[in-house]
Amino acid sequence: MGNSWACFTPKGKKDEKLEFDDALIHQQALAAALLFHQHQQNGSLPLNLDRSTSVVYPSTAAPKKLPKSSSSRQRSRTDHSLIQPLQLVNKDLNIDGLETIHFVLVHGGGFGAWCWYKIITLLEESGYRVDAVDLAGSGIHTFDTNSIMSLAQYVKPLTDILEKLGDGEKVILVGHDFGGACISYVMELFPSKISKAIFIAAAMLSSGQSSLDMFSQQTGSNDLMHQAQIFLYTNGKDQPPTAIDLDKESVKEFLFNQSPAKDVALSLVSMRPIPFAPVIEKLSLSDVNYGSVRRFYIGTHEDCAIPVALQENMINTNPPEQVFWLKGSDHAPFFSRPQSLHKILVEISQISPKQA
């Protein structure tokens, strides 16, 4: 069931330059995340950030080539370099005449727009338009996570994007992890503005179900999840939790068991707590709205956060139009298998609209 991808190019001087570009992107992303983390600790983070949905951090100094990761985790040669097989992907790619070339990327719980930096680069190099959104209290969005009381409040940065679309304009929504529940909520509100919805190792829920309901199906046997979760009680221990934080050491194996060490380092200084109220909110999804949007699922074979059995259960309970599988991917395929993920996203974008 599903597909896996592999692309190889000859090694040589061109590959050296591509690895150099990959290292530069890593260097810039990590530097930006470290700067943001320092501002958080010092209490000097500006409250009037001029925030776009995707952020570029230009480098003014001459870049230095970074050393290769010393992580002992196995990697696929396919995804070692960010740009390496892009010429093969783009060789016969024609985006003219597509229903839309606009991707909107929605991160999972604890993540931010920053986690998509490889996918943004790959899609834009392929000619697509990309927005990666920071949901409320995530990434560089300055709202206090503990104060988020509803899913509507959490996804407001996403609904703002869709509300601003022009007449007849559509996007491809991509949701990862808890972002699956977020795009489902938005699919119910704006079905006519969404060409396709893609769930990546994500909560693909049924009406009346919450993300907590879904995760509870497998927490009994998932010791890593128990070890990783830290519940926050800003209103007192006699009140429900306000957010869920993640233990930095535990998430290395829980979320990133196949990811490069430098991406794990970026994540550990960038991840923020997950608001609790949206996680327990049950979705109300109708066949007329949510059900009218074409859904696709991308599964992750080496996922410790949402194991294959749980992903298959969601697929069987709420079948999408098509299912793809990323072999060798952990819960963060945008880090562990960016090339393969990019190729599947491009393939889905090329699928012709259904005839009325």
Side-chain angles (χ1 to χ4, degrees), residues 196 294 296 321-322 324 346-353:
K196 301 179 179 78
R294 303 173 71 184
F296 300 82
E321 182 175 325
Q322 195 168 345
F324 301 80
V346 168
E347 179 178 337
I348 294 174
S349 77
Q350 301 277 312
I351 297 175
S352 301

Side-chain angles (χ1 to χ4, degrees), residues 298-355:
I298 302 176
T300 42
H301 264 300
E302 303 297 328
D303 197 324
C304 294
I306 306 183
V308 169
L310 182 55
Q311 295 183 63
E312 289 179 334
N313 182 62
M314 289 188 291
I315 291 166
N316 293 332
T317 302
N318 193 14
E321 182 175 325
Q322 195 168 345
V323 177
F324 301 80
W325 287 96
L326 284 166
K327 292 184 178 180
S329 175
D330 56 20
H331 190 60
F334 35 75
F335 292 151
S336 59
R337 293 294 182 269
Q339 297 287 355
S340 302
L341 176 57
H342 164 250
K343 190 167 184 179
I344 293 175
L345 293 176
V346 168
E347 179 178 337
I348 294 174
S349 77
Q350 301 277 312
I351 297 175
S352 301
K354 285 187 173 180
Q355 299 299 319

Side-chain angles (χ1 to χ4, degrees), residues 99-334:
E99 185 177 20
T100 181
I101 60 169
H102 187 180
F103 278 90
V104 177
L105 310 178
V106 183
H107 61 80
F111 291 89
W114 52 267
C115 74
W116 298 105
Y117 78 96
K118 292 181 180 180
I119 303 303
I120 293 171
T121 303
L122 291 166
L123 286 173
E124 288 184 342
E125 288 292 330
S126 298
Y128 291 90
R129 176 185 171 191
V130 187
D131 282 317
V133 61
D134 281 322
L135 300 176
S138 305
I140 61 172
H141 193 284
T142 57
F143 200 83
D144 179 12
T145 305
N146 294 286
S147 300
I148 297 171
M149 294 291 103
S150 68
L151 193 54
Q153 189 178 12
Y154 184 54
V155 303
K156 189 176 185 306
L158 175 58
T159 56
D160 287 346
I161 291 176
L162 295 181
E163 286 174 350
K164 293 175 182 176
L165 293 176
D167 292 341
E169 188 177 356
K170 293 188 176 186
V171 300
I172 298 174
L173 269 187
V174 180
H176 169 249
D177 183 75
F178 181 42
C182 298
I183 67 171
S184 296
Y185 179 89
V186 172
M187 289 159 66
E188 180 67 23
L189 296 178
F190 304 100
S192 64
K193 296 187 176 185
I194 303 166
S195 169
K196 301 179 179 78
I198 304 174
F199 295 74
I200 304 174
M204 189 169 64
L205 309 177
S206 301
S207 185
Q209 191 178 30
S210 71
S211 294
L212 182 63
D213 294 334
M214 183 272 293
F215 283 113
S216 296
Q217 296 176 26
Q218 52 96 24
T219 52
S221 60
N222 196 331
D223 291 336
L224 283 174
M225 176 176 281
H226 287 300
Q227 295 170 16
Q229 291 177 338
I230 303 171
F231 289 93
L232 305 180
Y233 297 85
T234 58
N235 297 328
K237 286 292 184 73
D238 58 335
Q239 299 294 318
T242 52
I244 307 169
D245 206 355
L246 297 174
D247 177 74
K248 303 305 182 187
E249 286 301 315
S250 299
V251 297
K252 291 181 181 178
E253 294 305 322
F254 179 57
L255 300 177
F256 308 119
N257 47 298
Q258 299 293 325
S259 295
K262 48 196 172 184
D263 288 322
V264 178
L266 170 64
S267 300
L268 295 184
V269 298
S270 304
M271 295 186 76
R272 295 176 64 182
I274 307 160
F276 189 70
V279 175
I280 63 173
E281 184 173 329
K282 296 183 183 298
L283 296 181
S284 179
L285 306 173
S286 67
D287 291 337
V288 174
N289 294 331
Y290 169 85
S292 68
V293 180
R294 303 173 71 184
R295 286 180 294 113
F296 300 82
Y297 194 93
I298 302 176
T300 42
H301 264 300
E302 303 297 328
D303 197 324
C304 294
I306 306 183
V308 169
L310 182 55
Q311 295 183 63
E312 289 179 334
N313 182 62
M314 289 188 291
I315 291 166
N316 293 332
T317 302
N318 193 14
E321 182 175 325
Q322 195 168 345
V323 177
F324 301 80
W325 287 96
L326 284 166
K327 292 184 178 180
S329 175
D330 56 20
H331 190 60
F334 35 75

Side-chain angles (χ1 to χ4, degrees), residues 47-151:
L47 297 180
N48 59 342
L49 288 172
D50 181 13
R51 185 182 64 84
S52 65
T53 51
S54 56
V55 183
V56 178
Y57 299 95
S59 175
T60 56
K64 297 180 179 179
K65 186 171 183 178
L66 296 179
K68 293 183 178 179
S69 168
S70 59
S71 171
S72 59
R73 298 185 183 92
Q74 286 189 332
R75 313 280 196 281
S76 165
R77 290 176 60 194
T78 310
D79 287 294
H80 176 73
S81 173
L82 174 60
I83 311 297
Q84 186 175 351
L86 189 57
Q87 291 83 359
L88 296 181
V89 175
N90 292 341
K91 182 179 179 182
D92 300 314
L93 179 61
N94 181 10
I95 63 174
D96 295 334
L98 295 181
E99 185 177 20
T100 181
I101 60 169
H102 187 180
F103 278 90
V104 177
L105 310 178
V106 183
H107 61 80
F111 291 89
W114 52 267
C115 74
W116 298 105
Y117 78 96
K118 292 181 180 180
I119 303 303
I120 293 171
T121 303
L122 291 166
L123 286 173
E124 288 184 342
E125 288 292 330
S126 298
Y128 291 90
R129 176 185 171 191
V130 187
D131 282 317
V133 61
D134 281 322
L135 300 176
S138 305
I140 61 172
H141 193 284
T142 57
F143 200 83
D144 179 12
T145 305
N146 294 286
S147 300
I148 297 171
M149 294 291 103
S150 68
L151 193 54

